[in-house]
Structures are given as C-alpha cells and as structure tokens.
Amino acid sequence: MSGGAFQEMLIFAAGAVSALLAALILSRLRARSEGGRISDLRQELETARVENTVMAVIAQHASDGLVIQDIQGRIEWSNPAYSRMTGYSAEELRGRKPQEFVLPPEDRLTPEEIEDFRYDISSGALDSFEIIRNVRKNGEFFWNQLGFAVVNHMGTREPKVIVIARDVTEQIEREEALKRAKEDIQRRAEHDILTGLPNRMKLAGYFASEMQAAGDSGERIGVLHVDLDRFKKVNDALGHDAGDAVLVHAANVMSAQVRKKDLVCRFGGDEFIIVCPGLPGVDALETLAGRIIRQLTKPMQWGGQSIAIGASIGIALSNSQTRDQNEVMKQADIALYEAKNRGRNGYVCYTPDLGETVARRNAISSDLGQAIAGNEISVVLQPQFDLKHNRVRGLEALVRWYHPARGVLLPAEFLPAAEIQGCMQAIDQIAIDGALDALKMLRGEGHEGMSVSINVSARTLTQKGYVDKLKWEVETRGLEPRDVVVEVLETIVIEGRDNVAAQTIAALSEAGFAVELDDFGIGYSGLVNLTRLPIQGVKIDRSLVQDLPFDSTAQTVVRAIFRLCEDLDLSVVSEGVERSEQALFLQQIGGHVVQGFGIARPMAAKDLLGWMNRLREGMTLPVLEGAEALRRSH
Ligand code: C2E
Ligand code: CA
Ligand code: CA
C-alpha cells in the first residue's frame, strides 16, 4: 500500500472511530482523575467533546463508506456513505455481516462459512487494500475498494475493525474500457484490415511461441509460403477493387482448407504464410498445398465476370537443426522462388540441395556487378565449319565468366541472374566487343572469309538505337555489317511485345547484317516466322541434332527443316555436332554447315588463332575423317 493511501485510510479510520474515541478518552480521564484536579478534568472533557463532534461530522460527511465491525465481522456502526453504497440503511446493517448481503451470486458463501468468519488480526493481512466485486441492495454490481484498520484498547474487551469502503466502479470501468481499447488496438495492429487475417506482426509472435513449444516436444512445424499468380495482372487490368476481391477470396479459400490450429497470415501484397504446427510430415503439407492450389485456380466471380488466378507455394518444415522461425521462413521462401521458376500453379518443398543451389545462385548474383566492372567476363569463339567448301564459315561468340574463386562459369549459370538484375545489355556489349575484336584480329592474321555470330538478348534487341550502335561498333573496326550474324532466339520474336523485336530484325537486315533464328525446331512452330521475318537462316537446336541419325522423329523434323529452308533460300547451321554419324547424316541431306564439339570447342581468341593456323596447315578434324570413312564404307 502506498504511504499516501495508508495515511488517507488512517484519517478516515480516525473519523469513523470518533464515537468510540469518546469512550477511549473517558477511560483515560478516569485513570487520571484519581490524582488530578477537577478543573483540569473538565478542561480535557471539553476538548474531547469538541474533538468528538468534529470526528462525528467527518464520519457523517465522508464520501467513503465507514464501518465498524467486531472481530466476527458483525457491523456495529456504519456511516451514510456506506448506506448509499450498499443501498441498506444503518439500521438494516447493524448486527449483520457484509458477507450476508454484498457478495454477488457467484461468490456467495455458505451460512456456515459466514458464521465461522473471523478477522485474523495477527497476520498483518488487514494492512492491505483489496478490490472486490459487490452487489447493492437493488442488485446492481459495484466495485468496492476495501481498507481495514484494527483498533485495540478502546475500553472494550475485543479489538474492533474499521473498514473503509470506496466505490471504485467508475474507475474500474474506465480502466476496463481502456484495456479493451488497448486490446482492440493490439488486435488491429496484428490483423490485416482487408482480409481480416493475422498480419506479419501476429505471425512473428505466434510462430516464435509455436517454435518454442515444438522445440520442447520435438514436434515439427510446417510453413507454406503462398504467392498468388496473375494477381498483378488482375489489379492492372480490372482495378484495385477487383484486386481486393481476389485477396479476400484467396484468404477465405485458404482459411477454409486449414485446420483450426493452423495460422493463415497475410504476409503482404499477394503473399500469404500458413503456419501448421504439429504436422506428421511433408506429405501432409504437400496435400494441403495441392488442395489450396486446386481451389485457388477455380475461377472466381466478380462484378459479373470470371477472374482466373492461381498460386505458387513454397513448403518448408522445421526440424531439430532449425534454429528459429526465420530459418524456416527463409527455406519456404527459397522453395517458393523455385516453384515460380518451374512455372506457375505448383508447389516445391525445400531440400538442402535446393538451398545450396540458391545460395550459389545468390552468390553469383551478388558478384555479377563486380565481374562486369572487373573484366571477369569475356568471350570465347566456336567455329562453324562448312563441310562442302571445307573451310570455317563463321565463329559464334559465347560469353564466359572467369570467376576468381569458382573458375569458369557458363552462361546458363549467370545469365538468368543477369536478366533479373538488368545487366544483360552490359553482357551483350562484352560479347559484341569480344566478337568483333576477334574477327578483326583473325583477319589481320590472314584468316579471311568468315563471319562472326553474336547472340542477343530480348532486352538488348528491343533497346532503342541497338542497330545504329552495332553498326558503329562494326565500322569503327573497319569491318562491315555483312561480316556479322545476329543470333536471335525464336522465342523472343514470338513473345516480343508490340513487335519491336520484329522491327529491329528488319532494321538489322536493312543495315546489311545477317539474322539467324537460334534454337530452331524446338517447342515453337517457327514456320510462320521463317516467311514473316527478313532473316537469312536458322540454327537447328542441339537437342534435335543430338538424336540423329537414329531417332526417326528427329530425322523427320530435321529433314523437313532442310527442305523448307531450301525452298525459302535460308541457310542452316546444325548445332551440337559431336559424332561422325551426325556429320554424315547432315551432309547427306544437304546440311553443310556444322558447329559442335566434334569440330571444336569454344576457345579464347588467341587459342582459336592457333587452331585456325593448324587447320590452314592441313590439320584434320577427327569427326570429319570419321564421317568420310563411314560414307566410304556404306
Ligand atoms: P546457344 O546460342 O545455343 O549456344 C550454343 C551453346 O551450345 C553454347 O553453350 C555452346 O558451348 C554449346 N555447344 C556447342 N557445341 C556443342 C556440342 O557439340 N555439345 C554440347 N553439349 N554443347 C555444345 P554455352 O556457351 O554454354 O551458351 C549457352 C547459351 O547462352 C547460348 O546458347 C546462348 O543462348 C547464351 N549466350 C551465350 N553467350 C551469350 C551472349 O553473349 N549474349 C546472350 N544474350 N546470350 C548468350
Ligand atoms: Ca547462339
Ligand atoms: Ca542455339
């Protein structure tokens, strides 16, 4: 109890006891009167009478209820404030115990318990305040703050207990309203307004406590990281109301699929996290993910139209090695990224292998800027050999990253990251420089009559001024556009927005460059492109050449490509020629230009010069010798 409160209590206790005080003073006076003078006695009596009156007035007008009880709790006296509080008159109260009438139904005591009640004045327990819920005569509840004081030696045999009662209902209600308001604010802070789902704040707390509990019991916790597919498209095309409707729909779908103890949380934007404590294993998580995807891919109705979305899901499961929830979340995120990479509407479970791949990809990604600035990326060249004229027809420039720690990295390892980071143009520029410098150098060494082929990314091809820039690069080296072949992926032409790619191809052709369609013959039916675009040739994809000559489908497709290209007067380069049988087959159907490890691997410019010199001096190519031998033996 605070000092102030205690003092306050004593003042009221003193007031309440005024009636008893008179008796006390009288007994004191009686003791003194034996030896004292009568006038002193009268004087003291007068003082006591005044004090007594003052005390009585205070007791009558005190706003707090004051009660004098005997040690069994029976009320001997009470003030008007106590009557106002309880609704009982002083007469009704006298002789009764408060437990008989102030306790609400749920706290009521048995008659025996009430009968047995006695204040324990020895323990010091009476020094404290307490707040209890009481009920008035009219049935109304109120909060009663009680303070107690024990008065001894009042000339009576037993001590008395003075109770100070204060109606603190308003204060308590205010506090409760405040608490409710605080809880409401907390609830709002932990929930997403749009979907009503818990948000990341709630997630953090929930996840941490579940992890803690799981750590103790050895249980595993599953996490699904859900990302809606096509959400941005819906938002852009149909507006934010439609976007909101999609999010609410998705939230409902997910909430309907999970168990009671799972937590579905809106993680931000169109991403959701589902935490599943106590799951037996990854199978159950996969089943859940599959169900969610199936439900989410069903078109939803909004404003009279049907909206189709989907979802990609990354799955992770805590285990004994997982240190905290952030680690599980990170794993689910990695798995999600992979799920999106593999195409939409699928789920992927995290594995340590996946983690390593991603770590490597991330490391590569973060080194990329430095690699470009530090000239770690350069060009190798692979010859394209013309079997008919027995000479090198061209060179394809391919980029390599000479990583100081990881060794030589192939394009497949860093081009996806370059694409994401927007460094494709820088890399394509390195390829242009390397290709043209190499061609110029070889010309200088007397190797004439070759072109150089340069791969171009969609980003670079659709860049404004690309053709002029390339022309300038060619001319400043004393070369001509017809010395350069630009290799364009068939997919770029098909996917190209607004046909910018097609226009650039036309511009390249106009400027005198040759354009060849790369990776031809797989996936897309490129026949339309062959007639529509001003291109000079195609490169048959390695995967088709690989299956030659024994796979009949590959044979049929390759033969068809050659026939068509002959009709359209297009050149054909066959990629990935490794074996004599492939070379022979191609030769027999009119495929004279071959590129592949069977001729030569891609080489740095100075190695290529050596190779060219040896070729000029009569070096034979084993694959071609083999093809010749095969031809003769047939
Ligand atoms: P691509 O344009 O189809 O290049 C041919 C790929 O096949 C090269 O892989 C080459 O090394 C490989 N190759 C050639 N002959 C054989 C063979 O006989 N057997 C096998 N197994 N492979 C063979 P690389 O260098 O790894 O390049 C991969 C892809 O990266 C290229 O495919 C191209 O699309 C892209 N790329 C390379 N350099 C550049 C560049 O400077 N700019 C752009 N935009 N893309 C590039
Ligand atoms: Ca190529
Ligand atoms: Ca290719």
Side-chain angles (χ1 to χ4, degrees), residues 23 111 171 194 243 264 267 298 307 420 425 439-440 466 474 486 490 497 593 595 604 608:
Q171 185 187 335
L194 176 65
V264 181
F267 197 55
K298 287 184 185 161
I307 301 179
I420 292 167
Q425 279 173 264
L439 187 67
K440 188 177 173 196
Y466 166 67
V474 167
V486 178
E490 209 190 344
R497 281 162 244 105
V593 184
Q595 176 184 349
L608 181 67

Side-chain angles (χ1 to χ4, degrees), residues 224-232 247 250 254 267-273 292-293 296 309-314 332-333 336-337 339-340 344-346:
L224 268 58
H225 193 158
V226 184
D227 185 295
L228 300 186
D229 294 336
R230 281 186 298 278
F231 174 75
K232 200 178 146 11
L247 291 172
M254 280 180 268
F267 197 55
D270 60 344
E271 287 182 38
F272 299 83
I273 297 274
I292 288 173
I293 290 173
L296 279 179
I309 54 156
S312 301
I313 301 181
D333 189 47
L336 171 64
Y337 189 82
K340 285 200 272 191
R344 308 274 137 171
N345 282 329

Side-chain angles (χ1 to χ4, degrees), residues 396 398 455 487 518-519 539 575:
E396 181 177 6
L398 298 159
N455 293 287
E487 292 191 9
D518 206 352
D519 295 358
K539 296 187 76 180
E575 272 190 329

Side-chain angles (χ1 to χ4, degrees), residues 382 396-400 410-411 415 424 427-428 431 455-457 487 518-519 542 575-578 595-598 602:
Q382 187 178 32
E396 181 177 6
L398 298 159
V399 284
R400 294 289 179 267
L410 293 175
L415 290 189
M424 268 324 284
I427 290 175
D428 282 341
N455 293 287
V456 63
S457 66
E487 292 191 9
D518 206 352
D519 295 358
R542 198 175 76 220
E575 272 190 329
V577 175
E578 294 180 1
Q595 176 184 349
F597 293 173

Side-chain angles (χ1 to χ4, degrees), residues 395-608:
L395 308 164
E396 181 177 6
L398 298 159
V399 284
R400 294 289 179 267
W401 178 355
Y402 297 92
H403 194 288
R406 296 174 190 276
V408 185
L409 299 180
L410 293 175
E413 288 203 78
F414 61 91
L415 290 189
E419 194 84 59
I420 292 167
Q421 291 188 30
C423 345
M424 268 324 284
Q425 279 173 264
I427 290 175
D428 282 341
Q429 184 60 45
I430 292 172
I432 290 173
D433 288 337
L436 298 179
D437 289 346
L439 187 67
K440 188 177 173 196
M441 180 272 284
L442 288 168
R443 289 249 167 113
E445 298 291 333
H447 296 289
E448 304 274 347
M450 296 181 302
S451 59
V452 70
S453 298
I454 300 168
N455 293 287
V456 63
S457 66
R459 183 65 65 84
T460 306
L461 188 71
T462 52
Q463 197 63 32
K464 241 178 130 200
Y466 166 67
V467 179
D468 290 339
K469 178 88 193 328
L470 184 63
K471 207 162 163 236
W472 184 83
E473 294 285 4
V474 167
E475 283 164 359
T476 50
R477 287 174 175 89
L479 300 168
E480 287 174 64
R482 66 186 171 93
D483 300 326
V484 176
V485 178
V486 178
E487 292 191 9
V488 179
L489 285 172
E490 209 190 344
T491 49
I492 298 179
V493 183
I494 293 168
E495 287 168 0
R497 281 162 244 105
D498 312 326
N499 252 349
V500 181
Q503 284 165 19
T504 310
I505 289 170
L508 280 168
S509 166
E510 194 129 309
F513 294 101
V515 177
E516 290 179 358
L517 279 193
D518 206 352
D519 295 358
F520 191 77
I522 47 158
Y524 294 83
S525 161
L527 303 183
V528 181
N529 295 323
L530 295 185
T531 54
R532 188 168 64 98
L533 296 167
I535 54 169
Q536 279 65 48
V538 302
K539 296 187 76 180
I540 298 184
D541 192 69
R542 198 175 76 220
S543 62
L544 277 172
V545 173
Q546 200 172 288
D547 294 338
L548 293 176
F550 308 112
D551 184 289
S552 64
T553 312
Q555 264 198 27
T556 311
V557 174
V558 171
R559 275 183 210 275
I561 291 174
F562 273 100
R563 244 191 331 267
L564 196 71
C565 288
E566 197 178 350
D567 287 351
L568 294 171
D569 200 20
L570 296 172
S571 67
V572 181
V573 179
S574 303
E575 272 190 329
V577 175
E578 294 180 1
R579 288 170 287 120
S580 304
E581 300 86 33
Q582 295 168 328
L584 181 63
F585 175 85
L586 289 164
Q587 207 170 12
Q588 284 169 340
I589 62 166
H592 302 301
V593 184
V594 291
Q595 176 184 349
F597 293 173
I599 309 298
R601 291 193 173 247
M603 292 170 270
K606 67 173 190 339
D607 298 330
L608 181 67

Side-chain angles (χ1 to χ4, degrees), residues 264-289:
V264 181
C265 147
R266 181 162 176 216
F267 197 55
D270 60 344
E271 287 182 38
F272 299 83
I273 297 274
I274 304 176
V275 181
C276 309
L279 269 190
V282 95
D283 289 356
L285 292 170
E286 285 185 338
T287 310
L288 176 61

